[in-house]
Amino acid sequence: MIKKLVIFIIISLLIIAAFFFALPRLIVIKSISCKSQYGPCSQFILEKIEKAKVTNLAESKKLLNDILTSEVIVYKYNLKIYLPDRLDIQLIERKAQIAIQQDGYQGMALIDDEGLVLVYEEKA
């Protein structure tokens, strides 16, 4: 009797574990919102994260982590999952402190207080 109970508990735990491992691959993300400390995220970031829509939760999270960690303008970020199909991103964007322009060139580099070039903007 005890042997059957132990087997039942083990099988139940395996089924529950399998469900939790499979669940992120079954949820399809249809909506992603992004907010920074300045309000909505910059258009540059919004265009990048648009690629993570209409994929499953596991792929969306991996893609968003890759995108947000590779962007210099993003200082920190946090992903929140709202079931059944929404991800919210809250991030802290680096702020440009200085703009540098080289003689003879139309564009300028925006640099933060740590010396990182955040954006190179071309003048029209």
Side-chain angles (χ1 to χ4, degrees), residues 92-124:
I92 298 174
E93 292 183 6
R94 295 180 193 270
K95 184 176 181 181
Q97 298 293 322
I98 190 169
I100 297 176
Q101 182 178 13
Q102 188 174 0
D103 289 337
Y105 289 102
Q106 294 295 327
M108 72 176 78
L110 301 177
I111 301 172
D112 75 346
D113 57 349
E114 295 176 2
L116 296 171
V117 176
L118 301 179
V119 177
Y120 185 78
E121 292 185 355
E122 294 283 336
K123 287 185 182 178

Side-chain angles (χ1 to χ4, degrees), residues 16-62:
I16 291 171
F19 176 74
F20 281 109
F21 283 114
L23 188 62
R25 300 202 186 317
L26 299 174
I27 297 173
V28 176
I29 299 301
K30 296 179 183 172
S31 172
I32 298 175
S33 64
C34 184
K35 293 179 184 165
S36 73
Q37 75 270 32
Y38 306 117
C41 292
S42 64
Q43 189 63 31
F44 175 74
I45 297 293
L46 291 174
E47 289 172 2
K48 294 269 189 167
I49 65 174
E50 192 71 24
K51 299 173 189 173
K53 279 187 184 177
V54 193
T55 60
N56 65 46
L57 178 60
E59 290 176 19
S60 291
K61 283 178 61 178
K62 183 182 182 315

